[in-house]
Amino acid sequence: MKPIGILDSGLGGVSVVLALHRAYPAMAMVYLADQIHAPYGSKSKEEICAIMHDNINWFKQQGIDEVLLACNTASSNALEYLHEHFPTMKIDGIIDVTVDQLDDADCIGVLATSATIASHAYKSKIERRVDAVVIEQAAPELVGMIEALEDEENLLKVLDQYCASIRECDTVILGCTHYPLIRHLIAQKVSGKIVDSIEPIIKSFASKEMARGDIRIYTTKDPVHLSKQIKIIFGEKIEVIKGVVK
Ligand code: DGL
């Protein structure tokens, strides 16, 4: 069996990889942090599909045939495209598992990148599953600020603006894998229950056959920088390798 490939634009995917590693310590994973293209959320659907095409090809070159898009922006904009262009690979997104965990709710706020919100992927999937009002809110600056390890005071200021429309919702979906990293700040600005993709992703692996091995973390940008970001945010000392895509 081959390791599973995991893909995101940066730190959001690291939190998914580390959570999976905690739950399944023997599972082999290859993570690509495509930081050279971050943030994905400000790009068009066509640009996101083109970037994902090259990234999936990179996994293919590594001999990997199963990839999890640990990224809502890629899942909502490029999944169909990737299924069409890589029919022999198993490529999964994370929107369905995130929506499937929802209980009854009256008002669901979706906080996500501009590209995820523009796709309306959450809204249409939620409306098929739950009878609730859905409020979609884009947060264009958040991923860049999280990647830059921006201080809490500045993050709280932009969250004031982004959370105003979803403050009263009884459920708030963190529709970007970067946002759980500042969940404690978002919790100060909304009153509803906060849900994200991490728990459902872990559950989705529970009955899966997994290759045993280590975790390899690549970045398309600067390995020393990502290694430092991981140390600061997660307190883990992890070696990062340069991933040359294309
Ligand atoms: N973490 C990603 C997501 O879940 C990508 C964010 C970005 O690069 O804009 O949407």
Side-chain angles (χ1 to χ4, degrees):
M1 263 195 102
K2 296 156 191 168
I4 180 143
I6 300 190
L7 174 61
D8 180 43
S9 62
L11 294 171
V14 176
S15 58
V16 173
V17 168
L18 294 180
L20 280 169
H21 181 61
R22 271 192 294 277
Y24 312 107
M27 176 177 167
M29 286 181 263
V30 172
Y31 175 56
L32 181 64
D34 185 18
Q35 291 180 299
I36 207 154
H37 292 116
Y40 287 165
S42 57
K43 297 182 167 49
S44 68
K45 187 178 176 73
E46 290 68 31
E47 286 172 306
I48 295 165
C49 289
I51 292 167
M52 288 305 129
H53 193 112
D54 293 342
N55 288 337
I56 297 296
N57 256 332
W58 180 86
F59 280 111
K60 221 174 153 180
Q61 286 155 12
Q62 313 299 308
I64 288 170
D65 53 17
E66 180 170 354
V67 179
L68 173 72
L69 305 178
C71 171
N72 292 270
T73 309
S75 302
S76 56
N77 281 274
L79 194 57
E80 270 175 41
Y81 170 94
L82 294 174
H83 286 160
E84 218 176 278
H85 287 80
F86 295 91
T88 59
M89 292 183 73
K90 182 170 180 342
I91 302 169
D92 290 319
I94 57 174
I95 309 275
D96 286 344
V97 287
T98 308
V99 171
D100 285 348
Q101 72 179 315
L102 294 175
D103 302 320
D104 281 346
D106 291 323
C107 176
I108 299 177
V110 181
L111 189 65
T113 67
S114 301
T116 298
I117 295 298
S119 76
H120 301 298
Y122 270 108
K123 187 172 164 64
S124 51
K125 286 200 164 102
I126 294 168
E127 285 174 348
R128 260 179 263 144
R129 187 187 150 85
V130 187
D131 185 18
V133 172
V134 180
I135 299 176
E136 300 177 290
Q137 176 65 52
E141 286 171 84
L142 268 192
V143 168
M145 292 178 80
I146 293 167
E147 286 283 324
L149 309 182
E150 193 70 59
D151 64 48
E152 296 201 344
E153 201 184 319
N154 290 336
L155 284 161
L156 283 167
K157 268 188 216 147
V158 300
L159 284 174
D160 264 336
Q161 182 197 329
Y162 296 146
C163 293
S165 64
I166 55 172
R167 200 183 308 279
E168 305 303 330
C169 289
D170 51 56
T171 304
V172 172
I173 297 180
L174 304 187
C176 170
T177 52
H178 279 69
Y179 302 168
L181 296 169
I182 56 161
R183 190 189 183 104
H184 60 294
L185 302 179
I186 296 170
Q188 293 178 34
K189 302 294 176 186
V190 298
S191 53
K193 172 173 125 185
I194 296 178
V195 300
D196 63 44
S197 307
I198 295 188
E199 267 315 303
I201 291 174
I202 289 173
K203 280 194 195 138
S204 73
F205 276 80
S207 54
K208 233 173 151 45
E209 257 194 272
M210 301 165 193
R212 298 173 73 84
D214 54 6
I215 310 180
R216 272 177 287 144
I217 297 193
Y218 292 83
T219 178
T220 52
K221 208 172 174 186
D222 177 357
V224 176
H225 182 64
L226 179 55
S227 194
K228 274 189 198 147
Q229 286 175 307
I230 294 173
K231 181 85 189 95
I232 293 168
I233 295 194
F234 302 98
E236 305 261 2
K237 197 172 174 321
I238 293 181
E239 190 209 341
V240 179
I241 310 158
K242 175 86 180 179
V244 181
V245 174
K246 216 172 183 186

